[in-house]
Amino acid sequence: MVFENVSKILNRVSKIIGLSEEEISILLSFKRISKKEIVVDGEKYTAWRIVHNDSLGPGKGGIRFHPNVSEDEVKSLAFWMSMKNSLAGLPYGGAKGGVKINPKIMSKEDLEKVSREFIRAFHEFLGEDIDVPAPDVYTNPQIMGWMLDEYERIKGRHEPGMITGKPLALQGCKIRGKSTAKGGFVVFKELLSKIGKNKDEITIAVQGFGNAGYNFAQFAYDEGFKVVAVSDSKGGIANSSGLNIPEVKKVKDEKGSVVEYNADKISNEELLEMDVNFLILAALENQITKDNVSKVKSRYIIELANGPTTFDATIALYERGVMVVPDILANAGGVIGSYFEWAQNKTGNIFEDDYLEKRLEDMMKRNFNKVYELHLEKKVDMRTAAYIIAIKRILDAERARGRL
Ligand code: NAD
């Protein structure tokens, strides 16, 4: 299912830059697909660690704990990570891991056992110069801490750069927590400078009020932008004069959802169809599809979530003059933050937060501008332009290695 989108985007890129059959075959092949059964207290769980392409460097990508994890999904996510890392200019290939499990119904002790078993199953394929995991859906810094500990216990040496998104006490990186939203916000402001709109003309709706969505909304609020609607899994709220984001956050923390905040109630579908300038998608995949694309009124969409707009919907939006800033560009701040953590761990350097914030900003601006210029030059949507750049860099590395 998900991998279908991968083939569609490759076909589109191929039509524009003329990929050879050999190049397509390299892009569709996987360096390593490892699948194991993890056993915890007699219960069996299927687990994967998959490296898509490693021509640019070690595999890099998160580990997902979710009941719907499948090989098709992990492969697609690994492919996306190759594209995101390549586009961001990082020295990484793409990888992803997953365990088919429902962590919401598990005790902390069992989660720790699963995390340690995952490392026992895959440790020979992991390492700071081999393949470097990080958190993804339903995994967090604590899980990374258990995984690092298990890895170092097996290897008998310290190697903090084998995993990122770690707790600060285990050489995590302070700016990592907000780096996805920060990167997305840099992209938003860069885009604003291109379209020449003033702050007071802008209205923003944010779908998803978690790490990515809330922090984006907070950055926007802090700089005086009007965030007129936000939502979470229970529904949304709207106020045409702008929501007080810190107050909404307080209510969500105390009562569990943004819908408890005193404002007009809207559904998630209504939020997607609001007449705002910017729609920020920061929840789930497949939110804008061929079924609702014709109802979207926003002129600009920024994808902080992975895969929230389907390929077909992207094209339909482009044909209507709606710009989608694609996930592999807009949410790359997360993996850039991880790269800083890895670089500190590998070199033993400790960089100042201000310096890293500035580096993140510069990298996001540079990447956005590369994609923006190419989309104008080739007269294609931003997603296609982003993939063209990412694919070229991977193929250049393949050629330089003599594999192509
Ligand atoms: P999170 O769990 O912190 O937040 C997700 C939010 O989405 C929650 O507020 C949840 O209530 C809301 N949500 C769930 N279903 C919804 C629905 N149907 N409608 C509206 N809201 C809904 O997760 P996150 O870390 O913020 O990640 C969000 C997305 O961003 C995911 O696609 C993730 O893969 C992507 N992403 C996150 C990072 C990161 O560093 N956090 C990096 C790259 C990509």
Side-chain angles (χ1 to χ4, degrees):
M1 45 114 199
V2 203
F3 208 67
E4 206 181 296
N5 273 315
V6 168
S7 310
K8 283 185 181 172
I9 190 79
L10 278 186
N11 282 338
R12 184 163 165 88
V13 169
S14 182
K15 274 191 195 129
I16 294 156
I17 59 170
L19 296 171
S20 70
E21 270 182 31
E22 195 188 358
E23 287 170 333
I24 291 183
S25 136
I26 281 188
L27 293 168
L28 284 176
S29 63
F30 284 78
K31 158 90 183 175
R32 187 167 45 242
I33 298 178
S34 320
K35 181 181 175 188
K36 305 252 177 166
E37 295 293 331
I38 286 182
V39 185
V40 171
D41 297 338
E43 287 286 332
K44 272 191 186 170
Y45 306 103
T46 312
W48 290 267
R49 185 68 193 174
I50 295 181
V51 180
H52 169 243
N53 184 286
D54 72 340
S55 57
L56 292 167
K60 183 89 195 81
I63 299 171
R64 176 171 293 200
F65 284 2
H66 196 277
N68 296 340
V69 165
S70 66
E71 191 160 312
D72 175 80
E73 181 184 64
V74 182
K75 279 171 72 181
S76 305
L77 292 166
F79 175 90
W80 282 339
M81 284 309 299
S82 286
M83 298 300 139
K84 192 185 297 186
N85 293 333
S86 172
L87 178 65
L90 299 176
Y92 293 140
K96 207 77 181 190
V99 184
K100 194 171 171 54
I101 199 168
N102 186 356
K104 284 191 172 174
I105 57 165
M106 290 177 71
S107 66
K108 194 175 169 201
E109 289 70 32
D110 282 349
L111 265 185
E112 177 174 351
K113 286 181 192 164
V114 169
S115 306
R116 290 184 183 276
E117 276 304 325
F118 184 93
I119 293 299
R120 283 201 275 273
F122 295 108
H123 70 88
E124 62 187 299
F125 307 124
L126 301 174
E128 63 179 14
D129 294 318
I130 305 170
D131 178 10
V132 185
D136 190 66
V137 176
Y138 296 152
T139 52
N140 54 32
Q142 174 60 78
I143 289 176
M144 301 302 110
W146 291 325
M147 288 183 166
L148 173 70
D149 186 63
E150 191 62 29
Y151 184 86
E152 292 186 338
R153 206 187 54 73
I154 295 168
K155 304 289 176 190
R157 62 163 192 270
H158 285 286
E159 193 183 318
M162 66 75 53
I163 199 160
T164 61
K166 299 181 292 292
L168 288 185
L170 293 176
Q171 300 189 48
C173 176
K174 194 162 162 222
I175 77 153
R176 171 66 186 90
K178 294 183 183 175
S179 64
T180 302
K182 181 69 195 281
F185 190 64
V186 170
V187 158
F188 161 74
K189 292 222 314 194
E190 207 56 17
L191 178 53
L192 271 191
S193 73
K194 305 276 180 218
I195 60 181
K197 279 211 186 292
N198 292 324
K199 203 175 272 183
D200 46 6
E201 295 174 83
I202 298 297
T203 50
I204 305 171
V206 182
Q207 187 199 36
F209 205 68
N211 177 296
Y214 155 66
N215 282 308
F216 184 97
Q218 184 68 53
F219 285 130
Y221 176 86
D222 288 344
E223 290 208 8
F225 288 96
K226 228 189 280 173
V227 180
V228 296
V230 299
S231 67
D232 61 25
S233 57
K234 302 212 171 79
I237 50 171
N239 180 337
S240 57
S241 314
L243 292 160
N244 182 321
I245 298 300
E247 290 297 318
V248 176
K249 170 75 168 141
K250 221 164 110 192
V251 169
K252 177 157 169 92
D253 287 346
E254 282 166 8
K255 300 186 177 165
S257 171
V258 298
V259 297
E260 302 296 335
Y261 184 76
N262 187 16
D264 293 342
K265 307 286 175 269
I266 53 168
S267 68
N268 262 301
E269 293 70 36
E270 285 167 334
L271 182 137
L272 297 177
E273 295 162 16
M274 278 177 78
D275 194 2
V276 286
N277 308 107
F278 279 83
L279 187 55
I280 312 298
L281 301 177
L284 306 167
E285 57 275 14
N286 294 336
Q287 293 302 292
I288 300 186
T289 66
K290 60 178 174 15
D291 299 331
N292 63 354
V293 66
S294 62
K295 298 185 194 142
V296 171
K297 295 181 199 72
S298 173
R299 176 77 180 71
Y300 299 95
I301 296 174
I302 297 182
E303 295 186 329
L304 291 188
N306 284 313
T309 315
T310 63
F311 176 80
D312 298 330
T314 303
I315 302 302
L317 288 166
Y318 178 66
E319 284 167 359
R320 259 175 44 206
V322 178
M323 176 183 284
V324 179
V325 183
D327 45 10
I328 62 165
L329 171 62
N331 72 27
V335 72
I336 292 175
S338 275
Y339 161 69
F340 294 154
E341 182 177 334
W342 175 82
Q344 291 193 137
N345 296 158
K346 263 175 81 80
T347 60
N349 277 311
I350 300 168
F351 301 112
E352 295 297 324
D353 294 340
D354 290 354
Y355 167 75
L356 295 179
E357 295 271 7
K358 175 81 173 59
R359 285 266 287 147
L360 171 66
E361 198 173 322
D362 291 347
M363 288 168 82
M364 290 302 297
K365 276 187 188 168
R366 186 195 62 203
N367 295 337
F368 173 81
N369 281 298
K370 277 201 292 195
V371 176
Y372 188 83
E373 295 306 325
L374 190 72
H375 109 287
L376 292 178
E377 183 197 321
K378 299 268 183 208
K379 297 187 175 52
V380 292
D381 59 284
M382 291 280 283
R383 192 184 310 282
T384 304
Y387 273 86
I388 291 175
I389 295 170
I391 285 172
K392 275 190 173 163
R393 184 167 171 243
I394 291 172
L395 293 177
D396 282 348
E398 290 283 347
R399 257 186 292 278
R401 286 176 182 278
R403 294 183 191 163
L404 232 181

